[in-house]
Amino acid sequence: MTDDTASSLEDVVITGDLAKRPGRAPCYEGESGALAEIAEAMANAPETVLQQLAEKAMKLTRSESAGISLLEDHGGIRNFRWVATAGAFAQNLGGTMPRDASPCGMVVDRNDLLLVRDPVRLFPALKGCDPHVHEALLAPLSIEGETVGTVWALKHCPEGRFDAEDARLLQSLARFASAGARAVEARRATEALRDEKAAGQARADARLTAELEGARTLIEKGRDFARESEERLRLIVENAQDYAIFTTDCDGIVTDWRVGAEAVFGYSREEITGQSCNILFVPEDREIQEPEKERSTAAEQGKATDIRWHLRKDGSRVFIDGVSTALRDPNGRLVGFLKIGQDVTERHAADERQRLLLAELQHRVRNILAMIRSVARRTAETSDTVREYAQHLEGRINAMARTQAILSREPGSPVDLQGIVQSELLSVVAQEDKVWCEGPAVCLEPKAAEILTLAIHELATNAVKYGAFSQPAGQLEIRWEVEDRGAESWLVFTWEEARVEGVALDGREGFGTELITRRVPYELGGSGTYELRRGGIRTVIEFPLRGGGSILETGAQGLGAAA
Amino acid sequence: MKQGMPLAGMRILVVEDDYYLATDELQMLQSAGADVVGPFGNAEDACRAVISDELDCALVDINLGSGPCFAVARELRERGIPFLFTTGYEATVIPEEFQDVERIEKPTNARAIVSALSQMR
């Protein structure tokens, strides 16, 4: 009964028969197991999904073959291609059927399930297919609402029959097939993107090559420029007298030595080339590995500062402000060091002096405050009234202020002792015609000048109150001389009042008395006497003349040693 | 009789070149119960005392008339005798070896000196 050519559509397409055929119980377990496996394939290997689907379709529908057909369009010729096949029909994988002369085309047109009996009768293209198809059950496969193919199952035995449950299962799988097709689509898109990327990479490579070429040209130009700069630099380096410029190898052995270096350090190029540059460091620094530290810092960080005392060939010291720079070959390998330094000994000395003066000033200001506090306390102890206290304190502070002018004068110039005496007498409004004053110019150290000034002030104040200036007949003789006593010269200063009557000491040690008899020995290493004789007060202050004449000298030695 | 005073029984060397400050310190330390050695206004006399005397601690002025001087400090350090600096100088003037020594700045505070010295028993 197989009339290949003249069968009617109703004979072949028998989808309606499904409802009439005896049905079997739904196989949900088999269905869900199959869907789970397909889902897993989608997640892990999307390219196997269609094949999986074909196999599951065959198994669930208890058919001999199953497969997937997808629509293709090649320049207007539209075919269905069997993209996945399972079972006996697998040998036809990759084969095609015309879009408009195939059961698949009918499914797509109707967008519905289709059951065909001996389809070859209606679709001649199936004629050559082996094994023969007796029944075919097809379900539409759609992607985003568009039917793009079918999933089908085949019975190759003449008595083979699909039922309603087979139809349900196939449709269920078809829905998965849609998702599977989408996954494959996505896969294809990814691959296309990868191809696109590869193409892009090729384009980028081409661009990079072009840029490299450009860079090479630039480098060439740069080299030309560098050659010119190098020449200019060479001229500068060779003529820089104020800068010591030299190079060493990695271990500090001098490899190049310029005229500036010779001028600063005293070594000729012939003498020092091949020697370690460590000989330019002072022994203290060599002992604590400063040369090695400097080189390792330069090697690690590219540069190392070199600001320190250095040693000249003649053993004298020169303060260098310089930098050590690592030299590297084109591969980045360390090949040595370039050292450039300037002789800043004079500037350094000036800075040092500045620092010293500042420290000294700080010290003096604090010391003076401490002394004023002490003098104020002592004045209070020897004053009977606030008025007397204020008067004495003011006079003493004024005298101390006057000495400051002497203390900060130019170093080495002698103190005009005559001037000190006169200004102290003037400060107490003494009558000059009562005073006889004589002595040579002397060089006093600051401390001595300060104490002597204060002593004269105390004596003058006292004379106004109780002594030579308090009585019409009173006279004052002030004289000083320098005596040689062994290795030292001593100043002997005498203050002697005459024709003063009825003066008595009150037995209490006053500020002036303490100053003369105690402070002079303590601070000046001399002695002081204060006595009341017939006719008035007689005071002798004597002390060795020592050291410098100004605070600008004071401490220079000591601070230098401390620094 | 000196029991209970902060510096009772302590032999303390005083090195200060200024007479007024030296006598102030002498009085202050004596009234706190200390047995004062000095005061000395120059390094030579002070060093001689460090060598020959039994000292518990010392109060040392850095400037003895001609800039900072650390001869006394070195002598004390060598003998392990603790000491304080009294000074108008900044810390930068003090050499590395004495950076750990407590500095009391001038004008000094009597209570600060007594308190610091009493820790040196």
Side-chain angles (χ1 to χ4, degrees):
Chain A
M1 280 268 282
T2 56
D3 185 351
D4 287 358
T5 53
S7 294
S8 69
L9 189 65
E10 287 76 9
D11 288 337
V12 176
V13 178
I14 51 167
T15 314
D17 286 9
L18 285 171
K20 300 172 202 164
R21 290 178 182 175
R24 59 185 170 110
C27 179
Y28 296 121
E29 202 176 309
E31 180 192 359
S32 61
L35 295 182
E37 278 181 50
I38 292 166
E40 199 182 339
M42 280 180 187
N44 299 324
E47 71 279 12
T48 67
V49 164
L50 295 180
Q51 186 59 35
Q52 280 270 352
L53 191 68
E55 283 165 17
K56 299 301 177 221
M58 187 176 81
K59 192 179 170 194
L60 287 177
T61 59
R62 305 160 303 153
S63 52
E64 285 87 31
S65 295
I68 312 286
S69 299
L70 290 178
L71 248 183
E72 288 180 353
D73 191 340
H74 290 290
I77 301 166
R78 303 206 294 166
N79 287 321
F80 279 99
R81 186 178 294 277
W82 297 317
V83 295
T85 52
F89 206 73
Q91 57 193 328
N92 299 304
L93 177 68
T96 58
M97 287 278 285
R99 157 73 174 80
D100 296 316
S102 67
C104 293
M106 197 176 282
V107 172
V108 170
D109 288 342
R110 297 180 181 192
N111 193 25
D112 203 353
L113 186 79
L114 185 75
L115 178 67
V116 289
R117 182 77 194 167
D118 294 312
V120 72
R121 290 178 293 165
L122 210 62
F123 306 106
L126 281 170
K127 196 173 275 179
C129 283
D130 188 45
H132 182 78
V133 177
H134 281 285
E135 251 190 36
L137 185 65
L138 304 96
L141 207 59
S142 54
I143 291 176
E144 285 164 4
E146 191 192 346
T147 308
V148 295
T150 60
V151 53
W152 37 261
L154 307 174
K155 301 274 189 185
H156 299 298
C157 302
E159 60 281 329
R161 296 289 180 275
F162 287 107
D163 65 10
E165 175 62 6
D166 298 324
R168 189 189 67 80
L169 290 165
L170 193 69
Q171 281 177 300
S172 171
L173 288 173
R175 281 194 291 276
F176 257 85
S178 299
R182 208 173 320 169
V184 167
E185 193 57 39
R187 181 90 181 179
R188 205 176 295 146
T190 307
E191 275 165 14
L193 191 65
R194 199 171 56 209
D195 292 347
E196 179 71 17
K197 264 189 177 168
Q201 185 65 48
R203 281 197 297 276
D205 284 350
R207 206 160 48 229
L208 190 65
T209 309
E211 277 176 15
L212 275 174
E213 205 46 52
R216 244 175 241 128
T217 314
L218 269 178
I219 288 168
E220 279 310 317
K221 280 185 186 163
R223 280 204 185 117
D224 291 344
F225 178 75
R227 269 193 288 277
E228 288 168 28
S229 314
E230 216 169 275
E231 179 59 19
R232 267 199 299 275
L233 185 66
R234 193 183 60 77
L235 286 171
I236 293 168
V237 165
E238 291 191 343
N239 292 290
Q241 293 274 351
D242 301 336
Y243 284 86
I245 301 176
F246 63 95
T247 59
T248 72
D249 65 9
C250 300
D251 300 318
I253 304 299
V254 175
T255 50
D256 197 1
W257 186 260
R258 302 292 171 170
V259 284
E262 181 170 347
V264 171
F265 291 110
Y267 292 97
S268 70
R269 179 193 280 226
E270 292 70 32
E271 281 174 318
I272 199 159
T273 303
Q275 287 211 63
S276 171
C277 74
N278 292 12
I279 61 170
L280 303 172
F281 285 74
V282 297
E284 308 91 275
D285 285 344
R286 280 201 295 261
E287 202 169 301
I288 55 170
Q289 272 89 44
E290 283 296 336
E292 290 78 9
K293 281 181 205 161
E294 186 186 302
R295 285 196 284 275
S296 79
T297 304
E300 280 164 23
Q301 298 169 13
K303 275 182 195 308
T305 53
D306 180 26
I307 303 171
R308 62 178 99 247
W309 285 105
H310 285 68
L311 215 52
R312 284 202 185 92
K313 185 188 172 188
D314 64 7
S316 63
R317 294 187 173 204
V318 53
F319 199 87
I320 299 287
D321 182 342
V323 64
S324 201
T325 309
L327 296 174
R328 297 185 180 279
D329 68 11
N331 299 321
R333 200 171 53 88
L334 184 72
V335 292
F337 300 95
L338 167 68
K339 292 191 70 166
I340 300 179
Q342 196 181 8
D343 175 354
V344 293
T345 308
E346 279 178 30
R347 193 183 79 198
H348 181 70
D351 288 351
E352 191 63 13
R353 186 171 158 76
Q354 192 72 28
R355 200 175 69 82
L356 162 85
L357 283 178
L358 206 64
E360 201 56 42
L361 183 68
Q362 175 104 359
H363 160 75
R364 279 205 71 82
V365 168
R366 286 169 173 277
N367 222 50
I368 283 168
L369 285 172
M371 208 164 78
I372 287 174
R373 192 178 68 176
S374 185
V375 166
R377 199 168 56 71
R378 279 152 210 275
T379 304
E381 282 169 7
T382 52
S383 297
D384 294 324
T385 65
V386 172
R387 187 188 152 84
E388 192 188 336
Y389 167 72
Q391 207 175 12
H392 281 154
L393 185 60
E394 193 183 327
R396 284 161 191 164
I397 289 175
N398 287 344
M400 284 161 73
R402 282 192 291 276
T403 49
Q404 287 309 304
I406 301 162
L407 297 179
S408 51
R409 78 196 192 287
E410 275 303 300
S413 56
V415 171
D416 178 10
L417 195 45
Q418 187 107 36
I420 291 178
V421 170
Q422 266 163 8
S423 64
E424 289 312 311
L425 293 178
L426 260 172
S427 77
V428 294
V429 206
Q431 302 100 310
E432 283 185 59
D433 57 339
K434 288 171 171 286
V435 182
W436 190 73
C437 178
E438 191 188 20
V442 286
C443 218
L444 290 180
E445 59 155 330
K447 194 67 127 183
E450 186 184 318
I451 292 171
L452 204 52
T453 303
L454 261 178
I456 295 167
H457 170 78
E458 292 301 317
L459 291 166
T461 308
N462 213 52
V464 168
K465 270 188 181 169
Y466 318 107
F469 302 136
S470 68
Q471 295 178 12
Q475 292 284 321
L476 170 63
E477 186 187 332
I478 302 169
R479 58 175 184 276
W480 62 92
E481 55 210 31
V482 177
E483 285 179 12
D484 282 334
R485 298 186 187 174
E488 287 177 320
S489 295
W490 282 58
L491 178 74
V492 181
F493 178 93
T494 308
W495 173 290
E496 191 167 359
E497 294 177 24
R499 299 183 193 173
V500 182
E501 290 169 7
V503 180
L505 289 174
D506 62 3
R508 189 172 64 174
E509 188 179 57
F511 185 88
T513 322
E514 187 185 13
L515 177 79
I516 291 161
T517 60
R518 296 180 189 270
R519 194 175 169 193
V520 168
Y522 190 84
E523 292 189 23
L524 301 181
S527 67
T529 56
Y530 183 89
E531 54 180 327
L532 182 63
R533 307 193 308 181
R534 184 187 295 276
I537 297 292
R538 183 176 192 268
T539 284
V540 179
I541 296 171
E542 47 186 31
F543 56 87
L545 293 169
R546 288 171 181 159
S550 166
I551 57 160
L552 298 182
E553 277 183 345
T554 300
Q557 217 68 29
L559 241 162
Chain B
M1 154 177 130
K2 286 179 178 176
Q3 288 304 313
M5 299 170 103
L7 304 178
M10 289 179 83
R11 278 183 72 75
I12 302 174
L13 174 74
V14 174
V15 185
E16 167 60 63
D17 72 320
D18 186 284
Y19 170 78
Y20 293 136
L21 304 186
T23 49
D24 286 353
E25 284 170 4
L26 172 71
Q27 276 179 19
M28 170 186 78
L29 297 183
Q30 280 176 340
S31 64
D35 189 359
V36 174
V37 178
F40 296 106
N42 63 72
E44 283 166 41
D45 292 346
C47 285
R48 210 170 294 132
V50 173
I51 294 163
S52 62
D53 244 292
E54 287 286 321
L55 300 171
D56 291 307
C57 59
L59 188 61
V60 181
D61 179 18
I62 292 172
N63 187 323
L64 296 178
S66 52
C69 165
F70 298 94
V72 183
R74 283 197 186 92
E75 205 68 57
L76 287 163
R77 183 53 66 81
E78 206 165 284
R79 284 166 175 73
I81 299 166
F83 56 98
L84 289 180
F85 282 138
T86 56
T87 179
Y89 287 115
E90 296 274 290
T92 52
V93 169
I94 295 170
E96 189 73 27
E97 59 184 310
F98 298 121
Q99 284 295 330
D100 60 323
V101 175
E102 190 175 343
R103 269 183 328 125
I104 295 199
E105 294 195 342
K106 290 182 179 180
T108 57
N109 176 316
R111 196 173 304 157
I113 291 178
V114 169
S115 159
L117 289 175
S118 67
Q119 310 290 309
M120 296 181 169
R121 275 179 194 281

